Amino acid sequence: MSSSGTVHEALGACAGCRRRSWLLSALSVLLDFRAQDRARLDELLSLDDRDLLRSLGGRRQSELSARYEALSTEQIAEAPGVEAVCRHHSLYPRALRDDPASPWMLHVAGGRRRLALLAGAPVVAITGSRRASDYGVEMAHTLARGLAASGVTVICELADGIASAALAGALEAGGPALALPGNGLGVRWPTTKRPLYASLLRSGCALSELPHDCRGRRWGAVAGERIVARLAGLVVVVEAEEKPEEMALARAAGARGKTVAAMPGRLTSPLSSGTHALLVDGARLVRGAQDVLDLLYPLAPARRSSRGAVAEPGIPGLEPMLARILALVGTGRDTPDRLIEPGEDPAKALLALSELELMGLLGRGAGGRYVPRHPAWALEGAAGTHAAPDTLTAATQGI
Amino acid sequence: MLARAHAFTIDGLRTRHVNVEVDVRPGLPAFAIVGLADTAVREARERIHAAIRNSGYEFPNRRITANLAPGGFPKAGPGLDLALACAVLAASGQIPAVGLEDTALFGELGLDGSITASQGTLAVAGATRRAALDKLILAGTRVHEAQLIPGLHVAVAESLTSAVRVLSGGEPDPTPSRASRLRARGCERPSLLDLSEVSGQHNAVRALVISAAGGHNCLFSGPPGTGKTMLAQRMPSILPPLSRNEALEVAQLHSAAGEPIEALSSVRPFRAPHHSITAAGLIGGAQRGWVGEAALAHRGVLFLDELSEFARPTLEALRQPLEDGRVSIVRARHSAVYPTRFMLLAATNPCPCGHAGDGDRCSCSEAELARHRRRLSGPLLDRLDLLVDLHRETTSEGRLGSLESSEQARRRALDARERQRSRLRAHGIGLNAEMDAGALREHVRLDGRGEAMVSAARRRGLLSARGESRLLRVARTIADLDGVDRVRTRDIGAALALRPYATDTERSVA
């Protein structure tokens, strides 16, 4: 690249890469027309500035060229709290470095030093449907939490459903997490996502290749996918329908030779049709964080099969009545009416449900149905709140 | 010559005595009504003119001035017609003025001289008694309302001629029979629905009984067709009957709203306004004493179906009535206070498409769900005590049959209420739902385990401070239904399972 002069380490990005970022924002609307065709978008984003202008500029080509040439670097300075890092900088993630389709520069909220640190650890992308079921949300949350607690960096796009749940899970574990909003970092977040963003900045980074207040439209999210597919060493699809937009990330990662893993769901659930299709096509089946860790750090098969990747449903020390109710909820008898046998004293089952909820072993999902939670929740909740499980289990004995 | 007659005008729930004074003297023929009369009263001139002539009397061809005293407040409605007409007749010497002195007149005149009943008859009858007047003359169709007031002599007059006859000491018209009155109005009391018609949904039925026993506000949430409305409609059948005083109170409100009152009904009112209702329609308006649905549900049930479809300001308007048991409405030149001690029942879909939690049928996005939740989780949800989720039942559960009949449920609720009344008498309240912090401290003593559960719930963020007192009130009622003095751990557990909760999907934003 002609403009690849020396990068001032403190600035983070050289003039050429900054101009590139500006150019993308100037071409944002035109790029958006290409967002439908992912391969074409990838090609376009691998072009250098002049070719990109030529292929997209159309009637505005000369005007845009003039502005491009006249651009001064001060006009593309960073907003407070956001640092830049370009592909010529020593802290630019290695996984992106030698690829022409990688972004030339990234705007990083959370600091480029932290980005380098997080991208240096094993990175696992968690992805899936934006319209996830309670099951999917729970699984994504637990998986991300387990991975983050084991020191794995979790990367996701910033979308509703699985991605948000995964991000929240990773952050809860004190989170090494990377997120790609698909917009410039200064674009206002939806109200419901703001707390998530605030806690992301405490322990993770948000990345964008677009300047501060540039809207990514549709193409921003699609372009974000290519960054995720490159940064992640492994992609886990938690719950996805068999639709191109929900499968794109897994397909892109697969095409780049990355390991793709998927979580199974119910065969009757259309929400899991995509993950099942991936499994049929040879994706690795994962049941939880342990399975993912086994994929990242392969062990001898004999040793792997000897231990369960998912904790057994039984919780040690759980009072029999509670254990029975918990098991029943797990089999789908998840409403009081389904749990209480005719003629049985309803108060017993209701008390057990409430106790399990207080212990964090059950939560409430859509329509008020009880949803089993991962035991890790319970242990932490019990430790954090001093609500020792034995005090609670003792409560049922008086009935 | 001057004549006076007694009449009443309705102003919200207040009934005010009006002295109708008519002066007839020589001058150019004119008929003026003074004393802040509204349009309906001013139009009375034409009705009275025609009614007097068509009844065979003479309308004085002189200068007539009618004064409605006291002149300080506005008088509304056509109920003053009869008093005005009789005063005109007396002032022009066609009938003796003596009969008017201790008689109240209430009714609207037709052009042929017939008398029609006006709304608010019950209130007028009560006021007549309080004003120490001997007799009330009114039309036959509403005479039964007036007869609810003990010690009042009610005379039926179907026409101006009959009224004149009664005033001069003659016989009143016969009281119409109940059957003919019902025919005339085309209304029949609906038979009460019964809980035994509800099959399955036992959890919701139990919650309904808890709600009825302790007076707790309750929200049903579930997909369409799961029986939310069906359950709510059966609430009156398990509520204890109204006492005589309560019944009179209710009847007065309904009479003021223009509803025909047959007899004192001991069945609690059940109001189910459509969700397009405005705030004024719900809580009432000051103008002309518009009685809102909240007041009409006084001592009974206000049922809001499709709660999330109600306009936000309408629901916000319910906060004071829910909190204080009354609502005071103040407008520029008017104010009114209505009692609103009702139990709130509400039903809603769990999400905009209605199918959340119903397998994979829900097609709502996260943003739509969040919007739906925001609509509900405002200050109103904060005032609900019970949240019951209803689910579509599988075929095997459909054979569950009904839990109990209304008769059984009502007896249990009555017993529970009796326990509450004797316990809470010292606090001047009768229901667990009305317990304040002091009463809660005194009457809801938890054992160590119950205490541990409540504090665990608080620490887990499942309960707010307000939510905690609601939980304790509900637990108290559950214990009362079982006939137990102490609130046990299992009562806390059951109350926790029924608390208004925030769904877990919010966790992803935590």
Side-chain angles (χ1 to χ4, degrees), chain A residues 16-313:
Chain A
C17 294
R18 281 181 189 279
R19 293 161 96 92
R20 168 65 161 210
S21 182
W22 174 86
L23 185 61
L24 287 180
S25 74
L27 293 175
S28 180
V29 176
L30 300 164
L31 277 165
D32 208 37
F33 292 123
R34 311 294 195 278
Q36 293 299 324
D37 184 351
R38 283 158 203 269
R40 173 93 175 111
L41 186 69
D42 254 23
E43 264 172 47
L44 280 171
L45 291 174
S46 341
L47 294 177
D48 72 18
D49 289 356
R50 256 166 259 287
D51 292 339
L52 187 62
L53 257 173
R54 204 167 307 129
S55 36
L56 282 180
R59 264 181 301 169
R60 295 182 58 208
Q61 190 184 335
S62 54
E63 176 225 330
L64 283 171
S65 298
R67 281 172 63 195
Y68 176 74
E69 298 300 341
L71 196 68
S72 76
T73 338
E74 287 88 70
Q75 278 171 267
I76 33 183
E78 253 59 60
V82 176
E83 293 181 354
V85 61
C86 84
R87 55 183 181 162
H88 308 106
H89 194 280
S90 60
L91 291 176
Y92 190 72
R94 200 171 300 277
L96 296 176
R97 193 161 289 204
D98 303 318
D99 194 327
S102 290
W104 289 23
M105 76 170 281
L106 288 170
H107 301 260
V108 187
R112 53 179 168 255
R113 203 158 289 281
R114 190 190 280 168
L115 170 64
L117 207 68
L118 294 181
V123 181
V124 170
I126 298 181
T127 179
S129 176
R130 289 173 186 233
R131 226 169 247 196
S133 68
D134 288 326
Y135 162 78
V137 166
E138 185 61 38
M139 286 298 134
H141 196 276
T142 315
L143 174 67
R145 195 173 184 281
L147 289 176
S150 319
V152 173
T153 300
V154 172
I155 184 168
C156 9
E157 299 159 83
L158 227 138
D160 285 345
I162 297 294
S164 285
L167 194 56
L171 293 172
E172 203 175 74
L178 299 173
L180 284 104
N183 279 326
L185 295 176
V187 175
R188 247 175 110 75
W189 286 52
T191 328
T192 51
K193 301 288 179 209
R194 277 184 210 153
L196 193 60
Y197 189 56
S199 64
L200 172 67
L201 295 190
R202 277 196 290 276
S203 59
C205 297
L207 313 176
S208 175
E209 61 184 312
L210 291 170
H212 188 62
D213 45 9
C214 171
R215 289 194 173 277
R217 302 168 194 276
R218 279 166 304 173
W219 79 270
V222 177
E225 266 169 24
R226 92 185 193 286
I227 304 178
V228 176
R230 282 167 171 78
L231 273 176
L234 186 142
V235 175
V236 184
V237 188
V238 174
E239 188 180 54
E241 282 189 66
E242 203 168 4
K243 290 180 187 167
E245 65 271 21
E246 297 196 1
M247 308 285 281
L249 179 53
R251 301 279 185 223
R256 300 186 58 77
K258 302 281 172 77
T259 311
V260 176
M263 277 191 155
R266 285 186 193 214
L267 289 179
T268 50
S269 164
L271 288 176
S272 288
S273 57
T275 45
H276 292 145
L278 284 173
L279 289 170
V280 168
D281 291 348
R284 306 299 297 262
L285 188 150
V286 289
R287 294 166 289 175
Q290 185 61 55
D291 280 349
V292 176
L293 291 172
D294 282 347
L295 287 177
L296 287 174
Y297 308 101
L299 295 170
R303 256 190 83 188
R304 192 185 327 152
S305 57
S306 67
R307 63 199 157 116
V310 180
E312 288 300 308

Side-chain angles (χ1 to χ4, degrees), chain B residues 433-450:
Chain B
E434 295 164 2
M435 284 198 285
D436 57 10
L440 273 177
R441 256 197 310 281
E442 192 177 332
H443 299 296
V444 188
R445 292 234 176 83
L446 300 180
D447 51 17
R449 298 179 210 134

Side-chain angles (χ1 to χ4, degrees), chain A residues 131 138 161 168 192-193 269 335 337-338 345 347 354 357-359 363-364 367-369 373 377 381 385 395, chain B residues 201-203 206 357 360 363 366 389 391 397 449 453 457 459-460 490 493 496-497 499 501 504 507-509:
Chain A
R131 226 169 247 196
E138 185 61 38
T192 51
K193 301 288 179 209
S269 164
T335 67
D337 277 336
R338 290 191 181 177
D345 180 4
S354 294
E357 203 181 350
L358 290 182
M359 293 163 77
R364 293 286 189 95
R369 289 176 187 272
R373 292 245 199 111
W377 275 85
T385 60
Chain B
Q201 303 294 12
H202 291 182
N203 197 41
R206 277 190 291 268
D360 290 319
S363 57
E366 203 168 295
D389 288 293
H391 302 99
E397 288 157 22
R449 298 179 210 134
M453 283 191 84
R459 260 180 268 128
R460 276 214 170 257
R490 52 184 281 166
L496 263 175
R499 78 182 191 283
Y501 61 91
D504 262 8
R507 195 157 48 94
S508 59
V509 198

